Amino acid sequence: MGTGRHETLTLGVLEAAKQAERLVLQTGNVETAEYLSEIGLSFETLDALYDESEDFDDFNEKAAAFLLLKDAVFLTLGQPSDNEALRLAVEIDPSLELTVMGGLSVESEAAALAKMKMNAGMRLYDAEEFLNTRFQANDAILISAIDDAYTASEVILKLKRWYKPETEVAVINGSKCRYMPLEEAENAFSYGYNCCLAIDKKTLYDKECFSYEDLKQVLIMLRDDFDGCPWDREQTHESLRRYLIEEAFEASEAIDRDDMFALSDELGDVLLQIMFHAQIADEMQDFDEYDICTEICKKMMHRHPHIFLGSSGEGFAPENWEEIKKKEKNIHSLAEALEDIPKAMDVLLRAEKLITRSAKYGKEFAYLTEAFMTCKTEEEAGNMLMGAVYALIKNGFCAEASLASACGRYLESVKNEKNE
């Protein structure tokens, strides 16, 4: 029945209603019902079922049974495909012959009243769907079915995260549309199925909160050949390499300080570096941010078969993870496993990984002194390590270079063992 006003009935639907032996309206509490009565049509409604039902599930079951009593023309509010009672009726009787005639939707009328461009990437949500979706405010939006005060409050609260309080919104109640700042909208609703809120697409400068796609747009603007920033335009993977490492260290320090505000900020800097590399690669047609996300999603799904692949009886186990990684990287020996440890890694961390990974293959590090083996506490171990660094400095050696050299020699010795 369109939006509930008789002028939104299509001619086809009106003709079907006139010829119906049995005409059923979703509700008689709309202007369309008054119009049909005025032109001499008799009909039944589902209104009585609302009063005798315990909840919506109970109502939909009773409504489906009512519709199946006898062939009928059923006029719904909104699109028939969204009507739960009709969907349930088809599910109960799969042999049901159903002819669907579309009409003007509440959303279409609301968009027209709000003067929104339907072809400009507008996204449609009903209020319940909107509250449960990962909204990012990248397009014009229209939210329908704001039918109670709680729903309106939650919708406005979610919108306030993404838009500034002064952002202009359109509040549509039936055939009436009012424009106002977002911060005033909560008290302007006349709750019901035809109560909607619309917001046109906003620029980056109008937003209060930003998404992954917004960061992509920022980098595109920064690296624009004509209007971009000279420094950002000239960056390469190689020139940015140090910043990726530095930002990771700063995020790590924020974790050590248990400073969540700083951690949020520093992780943003890490994400910027990742997106910067993705943008450079995209410009060179090497890969883009979606390739990055695709690879890590595939990797995580493959390494957690007990979660994503439904492997029966298998829970997570570290050894399973390691075996999966070996197969992914085609690693068959200790030498190949050690070669897989990045040479660019922090040298102390690399030494630790070389030793612990060797142990997993049954090879213990041989160059140990009795003094080091007597360490009982982390404090003793730290002091001994500092002492070793001090001894190297006093003898004219660089501690980092010495350890890097030792890592290289150890890796070569493992390779030689394999060859022998």
Side-chain angles (χ1 to χ4, degrees):
M1 66 173 77
T3 66
R5 294 185 297 110
H6 83 271
E7 59 263 36
T8 63
L9 283 171
T10 66
L11 292 175
V13 169
L14 181 57
E15 188 61 29
K18 288 178 178 179
Q19 295 179 10
E21 293 183 13
R22 182 191 183 210
L23 179 60
V24 180
L25 275 58
Q26 183 173 336
T27 179
N29 299 319
V30 289
E31 189 270 344
T32 297
E34 297 176 13
Y35 170 74
L36 295 177
S37 292
E38 289 173 2
I39 63 173
L41 297 185
S42 59
F43 51 81
E44 304 170 81
T45 77
L46 303 181
D47 292 326
L49 298 179
Y50 281 104
D51 299 329
E52 63 185 62
S53 299
E54 296 179 1
D55 51 35
F56 280 112
D57 288 338
D58 184 36
F59 164 76
N60 287 321
E61 290 178 7
K62 290 176 179 176
F66 182 75
L67 292 172
L68 290 171
L69 289 174
K70 184 181 178 183
D71 288 349
V73 169
F74 177 42
L75 298 190
T76 69
L77 280 172
Q79 298 299 335
S81 58
D82 296 331
N83 188 275
E84 186 64 19
L86 187 58
R87 185 201 65 77
L88 189 58
V90 175
E91 186 178 294
I92 293 171
D93 183 3
S95 66
L96 187 68
E97 293 184 12
L98 188 67
T99 300
V100 178
M101 302 179 70
L104 180 67
S105 68
V106 169
E107 292 83 0
S108 295
E109 183 179 50
L113 289 168
K115 298 180 175 63
M116 297 182 71
K117 296 178 180 178
M118 295 294 289
N119 60 348
M122 185 178 74
R123 294 187 178 273
L124 302 177
Y125 304 94
D126 65 43
E128 183 178 355
E129 176 190 15
F130 174 73
L131 293 175
N132 289 287
T133 194
R134 289 183 62 83
F135 177 67
Q136 295 187 345
N138 293 323
D139 304 290
I141 63 166
L142 190 147
I143 304 168
S144 63
I146 304 175
D147 54 11
D148 59 53
Y150 173 79
T151 300
S153 178
E154 291 296 301
V155 165
I156 296 298
L157 183 63
K158 186 167 182 176
L159 289 172
K160 282 181 176 177
R161 182 181 183 189
W162 290 91
Y163 299 104
K164 295 178 180 178
E166 64 270 21
T167 299
E168 184 181 65
V169 303
V171 176
I172 304 100
N173 293 307
S175 60
K176 297 178 181 179
C177 177
R178 295 169 56 196
Y179 294 91
M180 64 193 68
L182 175 62
E183 60 185 346
E184 298 177 11
E186 187 172 346
N187 298 319
F189 295 112
S190 297
Y191 309 116
Y193 74 94
N194 59 356
C195 181
C196 305
L197 181 144
I199 305 178
D200 268 322
K201 185 173 182 177
K202 301 301 179 183
T203 68
L204 288 172
Y205 309 102
D206 298 320
K207 297 177 70 172
E208 190 76 11
C209 185
F210 297 89
S211 69
Y212 191 83
E213 295 295 335
D214 293 324
L215 179 55
K216 169 78 171 178
Q217 188 60 37
V218 166
L219 283 165
I220 289 174
M221 295 170 68
L222 289 174
R223 288 180 59 83
D224 184 82
D225 289 337
F226 300 101
D227 300 321
C229 169
W231 185 89
D232 290 285
R233 280 202 306 264
E234 68 184 18
Q235 297 311 305
T236 65
H237 291 306
E238 291 73 24
S239 70
L240 291 171
R241 178 181 180 276
R242 58 173 288 190
Y243 300 113
L244 180 61
I245 296 170
E246 287 176 6
E247 301 299 356
F249 276 124
E250 290 182 14
S252 179
E253 184 173 325
I255 293 172
D256 291 340
R257 296 199 310 268
D258 194 27
D259 187 338
M260 292 300 103
F261 179 81
L263 179 58
S264 175
D265 181 58
E266 299 300 346
L267 288 176
D269 291 339
V270 174
L271 180 58
L272 172 63
Q273 295 306 312
I274 294 170
M275 286 293 288
F276 215 141
H277 284 283
Q279 180 60 30
I280 293 171
D282 193 5
E283 293 164 3
M284 301 297 292
Q285 298 186 341
D286 292 327
F287 59 85
D288 60 21
E289 67 275 14
Y290 297 111
D291 293 310
I292 295 172
C293 292
T294 297
E295 289 305 312
I296 192 60
C297 284
K298 285 183 176 179
K299 185 183 293 183
M300 290 298 98
M301 292 167 70
H302 185 243
R303 293 184 184 180
H304 294 83
H306 57 295
I307 301 295
F308 297 103
L309 302 181
S311 300
S312 59
E314 288 189 18
F316 174 77
E319 58 270 20
N320 294 342
W321 174 278
E322 292 297 330
E323 287 302 315
I324 291 172
K325 284 177 62 177
K326 289 178 188 176
K327 291 178 182 177
E328 287 177 350
K329 299 186 176 185
N330 200 28
I331 293 174
H332 302 289
S333 66
L334 171 59
E336 291 172 341
L338 299 185
E339 281 276 23
D340 186 57
I341 299 172
K343 294 180 176 61
M345 183 179 284
D346 174 80
V347 66
L348 186 58
L349 182 57
R350 184 178 177 224
E352 183 178 325
K353 276 194 166 289
L354 285 168
I355 292 170
T356 55
R357 192 165 291 185
S358 294
K360 290 178 180 179
Y361 281 78
K363 179 177 176 61
E364 294 292 338
F365 187 69
Y367 307 103
L368 297 174
T369 66
E370 185 176 343
F372 276 95
M373 294 301 291
T374 59
C375 289
K376 300 297 183 185
T377 66
E378 188 175 282
E379 182 180 357
E380 289 180 18
N383 289 339
M384 192 164 290
L385 194 57
M386 286 287 286
V389 173
Y390 176 74
L392 287 168
I393 293 171
K394 293 293 288 184
N395 284 285
F397 297 106
C398 170
E400 184 175 19
S402 298
L403 186 55
S405 177
C407 288
R409 289 194 301 273
Y410 179 70
L411 180 55
E412 286 301 315
S413 71
V414 172
K415 288 181 181 178
N416 292 334
E417 287 178 9
K418 178 187 176 185
N419 294 331
E420 293 173 3

mmCIF file of all heavy atoms in Angstrom, residues 350 354 403-413:
data_model
loop_
_atom_site.group_PDB
_atom_site.id
_atom_site.type_symbol
_atom_site.label_atom_id
_atom_site.label_comp_id
_atom_site.label_asym_id
_atom_site.label_seq_id
_atom_site.Cartn_x
_atom_site.Cartn_y
_atom_site.Cartn_z
ATOM 1 N N ARG A 350 66.558 -11.279 17.121
ATOM 2 C CA ARG A 350 66.909 -12.293 16.121
ATOM 3 C C ARG A 350 67.726 -13.417 16.763
ATOM 4 O O ARG A 350 67.501 -14.608 16.486
ATOM 5 C CB ARG A 350 67.715 -11.650 14.988
ATOM 6 C CG ARG A 350 68.032 -12.648 13.864
ATOM 7 C CD ARG A 350 68.773 -12.019 12.732
ATOM 8 N NE ARG A 350 69.112 -13.018 11.737
ATOM 9 C CZ ARG A 350 70.285 -13.122 11.139
ATOM 10 N NH1 ARG A 350 71.261 -12.267 11.434
ATOM 11 N NH2 ARG A 350 70.509 -14.070 10.245
ATOM 12 N N LEU A 354 66.703 -17.319 16.777
ATOM 13 C CA LEU A 354 67.585 -18.359 16.246
ATOM 14 C C LEU A 354 67.755 -19.502 17.250
ATOM 15 O O LEU A 354 67.682 -20.686 16.895
ATOM 16 C CB LEU A 354 68.955 -17.773 15.896
ATOM 17 C CG LEU A 354 69.033 -16.922 14.623
ATOM 18 C CD1 LEU A 354 70.358 -16.177 14.566
ATOM 19 C CD2 LEU A 354 68.873 -17.807 13.384
ATOM 20 N N LEU A 403 76.983 -9.253 17.971
ATOM 21 C CA LEU A 403 75.885 -10.213 18.060
ATOM 22 C C LEU A 403 75.356 -10.555 16.672
ATOM 23 O O LEU A 403 75.029 -11.713 16.390
ATOM 24 C CB LEU A 403 74.769 -9.639 18.936
ATOM 25 C CG LEU A 403 73.600 -10.575 19.253
ATOM 26 C CD1 LEU A 403 74.089 -11.877 19.891
ATOM 27 C CD2 LEU A 403 72.602 -9.878 20.178
ATOM 28 N N ALA A 404 75.276 -9.539 15.783
ATOM 29 C CA ALA A 404 74.829 -9.793 14.411
ATOM 30 C C ALA A 404 75.781 -10.762 13.716
ATOM 31 O O ALA A 404 75.356 -11.668 12.988
ATOM 32 C CB ALA A 404 74.738 -8.483 13.638
ATOM 33 N N SER A 405 77.073 -10.573 13.942
ATOM 34 C CA SER A 405 78.072 -11.455 13.342
ATOM 35 C C SER A 405 77.932 -12.874 13.882
ATOM 36 O O SER A 405 78.017 -13.853 13.140
ATOM 37 C CB SER A 405 79.476 -10.911 13.642
ATOM 38 O OG SER A 405 80.462 -11.781 13.128
ATOM 39 N N ALA A 406 77.679 -12.983 15.193
ATOM 40 C CA ALA A 406 77.496 -14.303 15.794
ATOM 41 C C ALA A 406 76.254 -14.997 15.220
ATOM 42 O O ALA A 406 76.262 -16.208 14.966
ATOM 43 C CB ALA A 406 77.377 -14.168 17.311
ATOM 44 N N CYS A 407 75.178 -14.245 14.998
ATOM 45 C CA CYS A 407 73.961 -14.807 14.395
ATOM 46 C C CYS A 407 74.263 -15.354 13.011
ATOM 47 O O CYS A 407 73.821 -16.447 12.635
ATOM 48 C CB CYS A 407 72.867 -13.735 14.308
ATOM 49 S SG CYS A 407 72.124 -13.288 15.893
ATOM 50 N N GLY A 408 75.028 -14.563 12.236
ATOM 51 C CA GLY A 408 75.372 -14.992 10.884
ATOM 52 C C GLY A 408 76.205 -16.262 10.885
ATOM 53 O O GLY A 408 75.975 -17.175 10.074
ATOM 54 N N ARG A 409 77.195 -16.328 11.800
ATOM 55 C CA ARG A 409 78.048 -17.516 11.874
ATOM 56 C C ARG A 409 77.237 -18.741 12.288
ATOM 57 O O ARG A 409 77.443 -19.850 11.771
ATOM 58 C CB ARG A 409 79.209 -17.279 12.857
ATOM 59 C CG ARG A 409 80.245 -16.302 12.366
ATOM 60 C CD ARG A 409 81.517 -16.379 13.202
ATOM 61 N NE ARG A 409 81.247 -16.104 14.611
ATOM 62 C CZ ARG A 409 81.226 -14.882 15.136
ATOM 63 N NH1 ARG A 409 81.436 -13.824 14.379
ATOM 64 N NH2 ARG A 409 80.996 -14.719 16.432
ATOM 65 N N TYR A 410 76.308 -18.547 13.225
ATOM 66 C CA TYR A 410 75.490 -19.671 13.682
ATOM 67 C C TYR A 410 74.627 -20.210 12.548
ATOM 68 O O TYR A 410 74.529 -21.423 12.345
ATOM 69 C CB TYR A 410 74.606 -19.230 14.854
ATOM 70 C CG TYR A 410 73.707 -20.338 15.375
ATOM 71 C CD1 TYR A 410 74.244 -21.427 16.059
ATOM 72 C CD2 TYR A 410 72.342 -20.306 15.159
ATOM 73 C CE1 TYR A 410 73.437 -22.449 16.527
ATOM 74 C CE2 TYR A 410 71.520 -21.319 15.625
ATOM 75 C CZ TYR A 410 72.077 -22.391 16.310
ATOM 76 O OH TYR A 410 71.272 -23.395 16.755
ATOM 77 N N LEU A 411 74.043 -19.313 11.773
ATOM 78 C CA LEU A 411 73.209 -19.736 10.649
ATOM 79 C C LEU A 411 74.042 -20.485 9.621
ATOM 80 O O LEU A 411 73.619 -21.519 9.091
ATOM 81 C CB LEU A 411 72.541 -18.515 10.007
ATOM 82 C CG LEU A 411 71.632 -18.771 8.806
ATOM 83 C CD1 LEU A 411 70.539 -19.779 9.150
ATOM 84 C CD2 LEU A 411 71.002 -17.469 8.329
ATOM 85 N N GLU A 412 75.245 -19.998 9.357
ATOM 86 C CA GLU A 412 76.117 -20.673 8.393
ATOM 87 C C GLU A 412 76.526 -22.055 8.888
ATOM 88 O O GLU A 412 76.627 -23.011 8.110
ATOM 89 C CB GLU A 412 77.371 -19.824 8.134
ATOM 90 C CG GLU A 412 77.128 -18.608 7.271
ATOM 91 C CD GLU A 412 76.566 -18.990 5.909
ATOM 92 O OE1 GLU A 412 77.082 -19.931 5.287
ATOM 93 O OE2 GLU A 412 75.593 -18.335 5.476
ATOM 94 N N SER A 413 76.756 -22.175 10.208
ATOM 95 C CA SER A 413 77.148 -23.486 10.751
ATOM 96 C C SER A 413 76.024 -24.504 10.596
ATOM 97 O O SER A 413 76.268 -25.680 10.309
ATOM 98 C CB SER A 413 77.547 -23.347 12.225
ATOM 99 O OG SER A 413 76.396 -23.089 13.039
#
